[in-house]
Amino acid sequence: MNTIEHLIRGRPTDLGGFSVRRVLPSAAVRAVGPFVFVAHMGPAQFAPGGGIDVRPHPHIGLATVTYLFEGEFLHRDSLGTEQLVTPGDVNWMVAGRGIVHSERTPPELRSVPHRLHGVQTWVALPDADEEAAPAFEHHPANTLPRVETPGVEIRVIAGTAFGARSPVSVRSPTLYCAARLAAGAALPLAAEHEERAVYVVEGAVSIDGETVDEGCLAVLAAGRTANLVAGAAARLMLLGGTAVGPRLVHWNFVASTRARVEQAREDWSRYGRPGAAGRFGPVPGEHEFIPLPAA
């Protein structure tokens, strides 16, 4: 029995000088634990005046986290939050019944050459929390647990791993870590969580003798320890947890029923109209938004 059940290679998509590799959802695997969306952003180099402008857009039924290795994002949302996220920080946004947010390169960073590199993930909420009140919490990098073994440094972003627990308010058992491995370093990943996967951000690793290259997601078999070894220096994301059940992922909406997705589409189609009574509130300081795409 192989330790790796599925090996998913992310294909870069150019978003106008900015490359993104999406590995979840895929044709072979729709989710790993509660993770229903995983995208690797960059690395990208921006000249002065350049940057990212993700206009206000809605979410339901999930929590989001953008974990940065380089660069900065300014987050604004319909709760009135305005929060800068820098490398190693966690902005944990629970959409629940509905939230609107934007992510933009802050003005002071636009004035100089800068880089952006990170991983964006969506975590589906369990059934009992799909319609929870939206919420936001920020955790600076120095508040996240750090675990070190010879040649290995791990940050526990969310959930539990390696005997440590993140302060992030997860809604179901979750595994989410960033790991750096020196050349030749080994990392055993225990079968603590129901579902697990390893995404290689940089470098390459061997998982029980099978090579996983940069830009690939290795979905692991349940119930057994996986032994990771770095040939050269590597950067990894470890993710997974307990499955929350089948989820529909439609545009920015995650839901357990099609009816809920259709309701969210209807609500967003009315966004910004005078007198509209939709469930999505405005984002203070923002005056534009991403329109609803065709079905």
Side-chain angles (χ1 to χ4, degrees):
M1 178 180 176
N2 292 335
T3 302
I4 299 176
E5 288 193 334
H6 299 278
L7 190 59
I8 302 164
R9 184 176 298 277
R11 295 184 177 180
T13 300
D14 193 309
L15 301 180
F18 177 59
S19 177
V20 172
R21 288 189 183 100
R22 190 185 75 179
V23 290
L24 279 183
S26 74
V29 179
R30 306 304 298 174
V32 178
F35 288 83
V36 295
F37 181 90
V38 177
H40 180 186
M41 308 177 298
Q45 178 72 45
F46 293 95
I52 298 296
D53 285 293
V54 182
R55 294 169 291 160
H57 59 280
H59 289 291
I60 64 166
L62 54 76
T64 69
V65 58
T66 299
Y67 189 82
L68 296 178
F69 310 118
E70 298 178 87
E72 296 178 357
F73 268 141
L74 181 62
H75 164 98
R76 293 191 180 101
D77 64 39
S78 50
L79 299 175
T81 309
E82 183 170 315
Q83 176 65 57
L84 187 69
V85 59
T86 61
D89 295 349
V90 171
N91 278 359
W92 183 259
M93 185 184 76
V94 176
R97 61 176 174 258
I99 199 168
V100 184
H101 79 129
S102 65
E103 288 182 307
R104 300 182 185 270
T105 302
E108 57 274 17
L109 197 60
R110 290 179 189 268
S111 64
V112 297
H114 62 278
R115 287 170 57 85
L116 180 67
H117 189 200
V119 175
Q120 182 185 33
T121 54
W122 296 354
V123 179
L125 299 176
D127 292 351
D129 292 314
E130 280 193 282
E131 298 298 325
F136 178 90
E137 55 188 61
H138 175 76
H139 298 275
N142 62 8
T143 67
L144 301 178
R146 189 165 109 177
V147 179
E148 293 185 321
T149 61
V152 178
E153 180 182 321
I154 301 163
R155 288 282 186 178
V156 183
I157 300 170
T160 58
F162 305 100
R165 179 181 297 274
S166 163
V168 171
S169 302
V170 297
R171 304 297 180 100
S172 63
T174 301
L175 163 69
Y176 195 33
C177 299
R180 299 290 300 266
L181 277 65
L187 173 63
L189 180 58
E192 171 186 355
H193 291 278
E194 177 185 348
E195 298 182 359
R196 300 161 300 157
V198 177
Y199 179 72
V200 181
V201 177
E202 296 173 348
V205 294
S206 169
I207 301 179
D208 288 341
E210 187 172 350
T211 299
V212 182
D213 294 321
E214 183 175 308
C216 291
L217 180 78
V219 181
L220 307 180
R224 59 189 295 180
T225 296
N227 295 294
L228 286 57
V229 179
R235 186 194 297 269
L236 313 174
M237 305 301 285
L238 314 175
L239 60 100
T242 300
V244 298
R247 289 294 185 268
L248 297 170
V249 180
H250 174 81
W251 191 42
N252 297 312
F253 306 135
V254 172
S256 57
T257 67
R258 189 169 299 278
R260 186 65 184 91
V261 169
E262 292 303 324
Q263 180 62 61
R265 285 183 57 85
E266 173 62 22
D267 289 339
W268 189 247
S269 72
R270 297 174 56 81
Y271 185 77
R273 295 183 189 177
R279 304 187 191 193
F280 296 114
V283 178
E286 296 277 6
H287 305 288
E288 53 184 353
F289 60 91
I290 300 175
L292 183 73

